[in-house]
């Protein structure tokens, strides 16, 4: 079957066929149901059903060439030794002095919900090096920040 709707349609046609054949009194209801199921199954296989696809006007295809030109390259920076009271807006303000900031994500403890003192900042690649040079080993909230480019997650290799 192609979809749950088709399956439901087959069942409905089979039940209807069984009722009609049973009312005629020709054969038993079980045989009538089986015959109805077989006939409706064959009908669904060989009769074309309409395709319910959304039109391309409703969901236009993304133009990958334009998206690459419009979205600037970005880098993810690791920011360590943050004050525990610092929030995303504070960190965004600090880094936006050195370039365009796309996202700030501060890590929290899963059990307690308290901040863990480090996070990640996604910013424009062209200004990321300037932010690293300016903010690394800089005092912020009575703590010395550690700022560097974030490492990509390591993939575990099966040997």
């Amino acid at each position: 079957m192609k979809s749950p709707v088709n399956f439901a349609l087959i069942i409905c046609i089979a039940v209807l066929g069984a009722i009609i054949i049973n009312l005629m009194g020709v054969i038993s209801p079980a045989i009538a149901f089986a015959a109805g199921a077989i006939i409706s199954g064959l009908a669904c296989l060989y009769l074309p059903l309409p395709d319910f696809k959304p039109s391309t006007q409703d969901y236009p295809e993304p133009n990958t060439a334009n998206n690459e030109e419009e979205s600037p390259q970005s880098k993810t920076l690791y920011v360590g030794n943050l004050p525990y009271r610092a929030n995303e807006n504070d960190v965004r303000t600090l880094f936006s002095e050195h370039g365009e900031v796309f996202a700030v994500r501060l890590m929290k403890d899963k059990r307690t919900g308290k901040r863990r003192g480090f996070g990640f900042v996604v910013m424009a690649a062209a200004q990321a090096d300037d932010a690293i040079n300016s903010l690394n080993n800089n005092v912020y909230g009575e703590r010395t920040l550690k700022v560097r480019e974030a490492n990509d997650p390591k993939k575990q290799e099966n040997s």
Side-chain angles (χ1 to χ4, degrees):
M1 309 318 145
K2 295 179 184 176
S3 72
V5 174
N6 290 352
F7 183 70
L9 182 66
I10 290 172
I11 295 297
C12 290
I13 293 173
V15 169
L16 244 154
I19 291 171
I20 292 171
I21 293 175
N22 190 29
L23 289 176
M24 293 178 5
V26 179
I27 53 178
S28 73
I31 295 174
F33 180 77
I38 291 171
I39 291 169
S40 59
L42 291 173
C44 285
L45 283 175
Y46 294 110
L47 293 178
L49 293 175
D51 236 357
F52 297 106
K53 291 183 181 175
S55 69
T56 55
Q57 289 176 333
D58 296 336
Y59 303 100
E61 291 291 324
N63 189 349
T64 54
N66 288 343
N67 287 346
E68 289 175 5
E69 293 171 6
E70 292 174 2
S71 65
Q73 296 291 329
S74 64
K75 279 189 181 179
T76 303
L77 305 180
Y78 166 82
V79 185
N81 205 30
L82 281 167
Y84 294 108
R85 65 182 178 275
N87 60 33
E88 281 85 358
N89 287 335
D90 297 337
V91 176
R92 180 181 299 273
T93 302
L94 177 68
F95 277 82
S96 63
E97 295 172 3
H98 301 282
E100 184 179 3
V101 176
F102 300 121
V104 176
R105 191 175 64 234
L106 300 182
M107 299 297 106
K108 293 182 179 180
D109 186 90
K110 289 181 182 177
R111 271 188 310 124
T112 63
K114 294 181 181 178
R115 291 191 178 86
R116 297 182 62 196
F118 72 95
F120 299 93
V121 175
V122 180
M123 63 184 305
Q127 296 126 2
D129 292 331
D130 177 45
I132 291 171
N133 294 333
S134 300
L135 296 173
N136 190 33
N137 294 324
N138 190 17
V139 176
Y140 175 72
E142 299 177 2
R143 299 191 71 164
T144 304
L145 294 179
K146 301 295 177 191
V147 181
R148 64 176 181 264
E149 189 171 348
N151 296 334
D152 291 331
K154 305 254 190 275
K155 294 182 181 177
Q156 295 179 351
E157 295 180 12
N158 296 332
S159 30

